Amino acid sequence: MSEGFLLRVRYSITGRLAWLSHLETIRSMERVVRRARLPYAITEGFNPHMKISFGPALPVGAGSNGEYFDVRLREYLEPEQALEQLRAAAAPNLMPEACAYVPVGSDAIDVAYPVSVWEVAVTGGEGISPEESSMQLQTAFEKLLEQGYITIEKKKGRRIVEKKVEFEGRLLEPPLVTFGQSGALVNFSTFQGPAGALRADKFVAEACKLAGEGFAWREITRLELKPASEKQ
Amino acid sequence: MFEERTDMWEQYAPLLAHAEHPSRYLGQEWGAVTPSEKLEADYHAVMIYPDVYEIGQANQAVAILYDRLNADEHVFCERAYLPWTDLAAAMREAGLPLVSLETYTPLSEFDFVGITLPHELAATNVLETLDLSGIPLHASDRREGDPFVFGGGPCAYNPEPYAPFFDAIFIGEGEEMDLEVALQLRAWRGTGISRKDQLRKLAHIPGVYVPSLYRVYAGPDAPAGAEFELPYDVVEPIAEDIPERVERRIITNFDACDALPRQIVPYSELVHDRLSIEILRGCARGCRFCQAGMIYRPVRERTADTIVSAIAMGLACTGYDEVSLTSLSSTDHSTITDQLRRLNKRFHGTGVGVSIPSQRVDAFGVELARLIAGEKKGGLTLAPEAGTQHLRDVINKGVTEENLFNAVTTAFEAGWRRLKLYFMLGLPGETDEDVAGIGDLCRRVYTAAKDSVPDNQRGNVRMSVSVALFVPKAVTPFQWDGQLDRETLMHRINVLRDNFPRKGVDLHWHDSMTSYIEAVLSRGGRECAELVERAWKHGARFDAWSEQFDFDAWLAAAQETGVDIFQTAMRSYEEEAPLPWDHIDSGVRKSYLRRERAKAHLAQTTPDCTFGPCTGCGVCLDRPVDNELEGARHV
């Protein structure tokens, strides 16, 4: 039997659909593929399902300009045609943006693109100017970097356990804080390797806590997923 | 024409970061109506299911009404659901009202607010919905310019516990009625007709019950109740021009109604997260405890062509990979085998799964299950309901031991390894022997299941049994019968435990306290509305969620209102006495229900009229309707 064709699709998550969980995004995108009537392959066996795989999870609340999924097709379809069909079957805030074939057997998306580039909009402290807010936030990040890790809580059954996540090997470009009209903007990049990822939302939330009352992230966007060769 | 209204999204967005499952609140699903589609609409309706999105969005009735209302260019119908307790608390703290999903508009800005009444344990959620919306809880407190609040659904057949909260309650099938009311109200806008007069005129639309136009004589004041032992409620119109009884609306030519209403594809995972196609409506098996079997008569089947084509279109436009053929008794459809064969052929190799929610307890039912499952056999669920043939005849279940054992052996020989059985405790006429019979039956079924599989697979056989307390419902032959008292119930539970297989079969039973509340609200009078309101004020909501159910809140409400929960649930009505829902005409004659009750006392069964002659329930005799079958049904 032919191994088919592996179509790699880049899509964006914007607006309020940033609040979808990773599983919800997967389920929704599978439905987009079915509505688009792509000639997708299905697994053989007890519980047949679409041959599709997704890139690294986004935190709930984070949008993205460049997420990826791979779907195996039984028949070749021009990528432009596939994209047109996908876009016609997708909601505006969960939208396929580009697609191209990659060789079957290519690295999985999270291996191929382990670098995430983030931009986070932060609401500043109450009663202080945007410049001052940005400086306070930058100082908070510096303190956090000195500490070298954040502690996150994880549910394990009914228990909640604390886990230390170190920045070493996970934080590529340190946060750069700039200020704009509606508050501060933070840019940084992370690396997801075998040891796991640094959650951008938790990282920024921890810095906001150190910066003081009134600081909170307002909008998180993964601007780009990049290959490891671009790791700095 | 679309008017700009208040869009609250920006105020809500910051709250979502702290809410459980924020996707419940997003809207913007594939298939949802958008303002750009409704540029000519100037009448705003919202349909509400009073529970969280994952439960409510799966409801087919709301989907049908949403579709029907939006079919008119002048009406823009949106949806709303009750937020979970975490977001509700945050909304109250932030001073934000409940909003619609499509445009995030406060519900108080709508013209028509429709709330479905799916089951008794949603009663406090109705009040929570109104309160979060900033709409006065009582219809009598609403003023000109406030929305009209309408109810409907299965609980509307005894509307009195909800009476003060609704401007009107719709009785029966809403496909035509809701739009009729909406367009009528739209036509009256700007004419100067007062809210009160509009309601009075609405009361003349068949199926529309306006509670404020009916007074309740209760206790010793009840004129017709004086001759009976206990005081009874009598509900009467306040004026001669108001109909004495409100007739249930019934759709004729069901097959011509769109089998595929507008489909909204959710982002959240729903309780029934698949395409659902209603293949038939109604059930005439006549189980004497079952309200649905009475209030959805007559039986109306869709054609196999309609069904298969709706499924093909529905899967294509939604992207679902599973379809459920829904109804009260899908395996009774006269062309069900043909439908399943056609679907299997059409979707072979595509990964599309087919399911049926209800299962006949016989070998034919299992044959159909085999057609559906193919090689993929999960669990099989059967509902004998009672442990002895005598009691099954009392409740007219129409299932013999032979049917059950044939079903079980056929299933386990065909490869199933998991079985779940449903029973009820506290049925009228039940004895200790009937309860012990559940244990005995389960033991023998378990043995039969193990004997039907190869020796090396006997260890894989799993069986569980779920037992619920009988809840008497309005418009059933058991509507006059009370529930068991707590002492007898505990005794029966002990009898069941003592007689239940020691190993191999898991036993689960439902919380009896929620069943008592259900019984109070399913047969109580208008006095129960205050009980509901007080319980809600004491914090009762999401009563159907076991972890949220707060019986103490109900007890406190009972104390304050003088409504004794246990006495009301256990109360048996005299057959000739007026009932609190006598002013609602379900279509099924009271004389038929009495006759069925008398037959229950004699353990005599009544056949299903879709397999044999008319049984005289009255629906087809009194209305221009009839069973609409596509062919002879499989006996």
Side-chain angles (χ1 to χ4, degrees), chain A residues 32-225:
Chain A
V32 170
V33 172
R34 283 193 211 97
R35 287 198 295 266
R37 303 189 187 199
L38 297 194
Y40 59 87
I42 60 169
T43 60
E44 288 169 34
F46 186 73
N47 186 16
H49 55 270
M50 184 186 293
K51 287 187 175 174
I52 189 167
S53 59
F54 284 76
L58 269 177
V60 174
S64 175
N65 296 340
E67 298 300 291
Y68 290 91
F69 69 85
D70 287 344
V71 60
R72 186 84 70 94
L73 301 185
R74 298 186 315 271
E75 297 159 21
Y76 183 83
L77 189 66
E78 288 296 337
E80 297 76 19
Q81 180 64 35
L83 182 63
E84 195 181 316
Q85 288 177 215
L86 285 167
R87 287 179 67 87
N93 288 341
L94 188 65
M95 185 53 77
E97 304 287 356
C99 56
Y101 287 101
V102 294
V104 173
S106 295
D107 279 345
I109 296 161
D110 51 358
V111 177
Y113 302 115
V115 178
S116 295
V117 181
W118 300 96
E119 181 170 89
V120 184
V122 175
T123 330
E126 277 168 27
I128 53 174
S129 68
E131 296 93 324
E132 215 172 321
S133 284
S134 304
M135 280 169 61
Q136 248 174 272
L137 192 59
Q138 185 70 55
T139 312
F141 272 117
E142 281 161 14
K143 268 192 212 162
L144 197 57
L145 292 179
E146 257 174 51
Q147 181 180 297
Y149 66 89
I150 56 170
T151 307
I152 59 167
E153 288 183 342
K154 274 197 150 186
K155 262 191 181 174
K156 277 202 168 176
R158 287 184 179 181
R159 284 184 311 133
I160 291 179
V161 292
E162 288 195 339
K163 191 185 164 197
K164 201 191 250 190
V165 180
E166 292 183 352
F167 303 149
E168 178 69 39
R170 294 186 174 94
L171 184 65
L172 281 185
E173 286 178 81
L176 176 69
V177 182
T178 53
F179 69 90
Q181 281 179 338
S182 54
L185 274 183
V186 187
N187 289 81
F188 58 97
S189 63
T190 56
F191 177 80
Q192 179 168 356
L198 171 65
R199 280 189 53 168
D201 56 335
K202 302 282 182 198
F203 177 56
V204 177
E206 196 62 29
C208 287
K209 219 190 283 176
L210 291 174
E213 210 166 316
F215 284 88
W217 65 261
R218 190 165 46 79
E219 204 176 327
I220 299 188
T221 311
R222 176 145 64 191
L223 298 176
E224 201 184 348
L225 274 167

Side-chain angles (χ1 to χ4, degrees), chain B residues 240-531:
Chain B
E240 276 182 10
D241 67 306
I242 307 299
E244 266 185 45
R245 300 189 77 204
V246 181
E247 258 191 31
R248 167 195 160 210
R249 289 288 284 266
I250 305 175
I251 298 296
T252 52
N253 200 1
F254 175 68
D255 191 49
C257 295
D258 197 350
L260 184 69
R262 177 185 272 267
Q263 297 292 309
I264 294 177
V265 185
Y267 296 113
S268 307
E269 189 171 8
L270 307 185
V271 283
H272 305 295
D273 203 8
R274 57 186 80 95
L275 176 68
S276 294
I277 298 294
E278 188 186 19
I279 66 168
L280 70 96
R281 190 171 291 178
C283 173
R285 287 201 161 242
C287 300
R288 291 176 179 134
F289 56 84
C290 177
Q291 189 191 45
M294 300 293 155
I295 63 175
Y296 292 112
R297 293 177 179 214
V299 175
R300 290 150 288 169
E301 295 182 348
R302 287 203 158 100
T303 65
D305 284 349
T306 305
I307 293 164
V308 174
S309 123
I311 290 171
M313 280 171 62
L315 291 172
C317 75
T318 59
Y320 284 124
D321 61 351
E322 189 182 346
V323 58
S324 180
L325 312 185
T326 62
S327 78
L328 293 171
S329 57
S330 296
T331 45
D332 282 338
H333 195 297
S334 50
T335 64
I336 186 70
T337 314
D338 178 40
Q339 290 165 38
L340 293 176
R341 289 206 173 110
R342 285 168 68 175
L343 292 173
N344 278 350
K345 195 172 165 194
R346 186 159 191 156
F347 297 112
H348 178 73
T350 62
V352 168
V354 179
S355 64
I356 287 185
S358 52
Q359 194 66 58
R360 274 168 66 142
V361 187
D362 60 13
F364 177 65
V366 175
E367 280 308 313
L368 294 177
R370 184 147 62 175
L371 262 178
I372 295 162
E375 291 308 305
K376 182 178 159 185
K377 295 183 181 66
L380 195 68
T381 302
L382 303 173
E385 309 289 7
T388 61
Q389 194 58 52
H390 172 80
L391 195 56
R392 282 195 295 276
D393 290 344
V394 167
I395 63 175
N396 202 41
K397 182 62 191 173
V399 170
T400 62
E401 279 206 2
E402 190 188 350
N403 295 146
L404 177 62
F405 281 92
N406 274 345
V408 170
T409 50
T410 310
F412 281 81
E413 281 168 6
W416 268 276
R417 294 294 175 262
R418 280 189 291 129
L419 175 68
K420 187 172 191 180
L421 298 182
Y422 279 108
F423 291 94
M424 273 192 273
L425 271 189
L427 286 160
E430 179 189 83
T431 62
D432 284 3
E433 287 68 39
D434 294 312
V435 177
I438 296 176
D440 177 53
L441 186 65
C442 291
R443 186 177 298 108
R444 288 183 292 127
V445 165
Y446 185 57
T447 306
K450 289 182 86 164
D451 288 349
S452 305
V453 303
D455 284 347
N456 62 350
Q457 290 181 30
R458 287 167 67 96
N460 297 340
V461 172
R462 296 278 178 275
M463 183 169 143
S464 70
V465 171
S466 184
V467 181
L469 179 62
F470 161 72
V471 177
K473 301 269 185 169
V475 200
T476 65
F478 291 158
Q479 64 182 356
W480 291 280
D481 295 286
Q483 277 186 315
L484 286 184
D485 61 86
R486 291 161 79 192
E487 199 179 323
T488 311
L489 175 65
M490 286 318 295
H491 168 72
R492 295 266 164 86
I493 288 174
N494 286 334
V495 170
L496 177 60
R497 278 177 173 158
D498 291 346
N499 288 277
F500 207 73
R502 292 274 170 256
K503 56 179 186 178
V505 187
D506 297 324
L507 175 63
H508 311 275
W509 58 84
H510 291 261
D511 180 1
S512 59
M513 295 307 151
T514 55
S515 302
Y516 284 119
I517 299 297
E518 285 178 88
V520 169
L521 298 182
S522 68
R523 298 189 310 148
R526 204 173 278 192
E527 75 283 358
C528 291
E530 201 189 341
L531 178 78

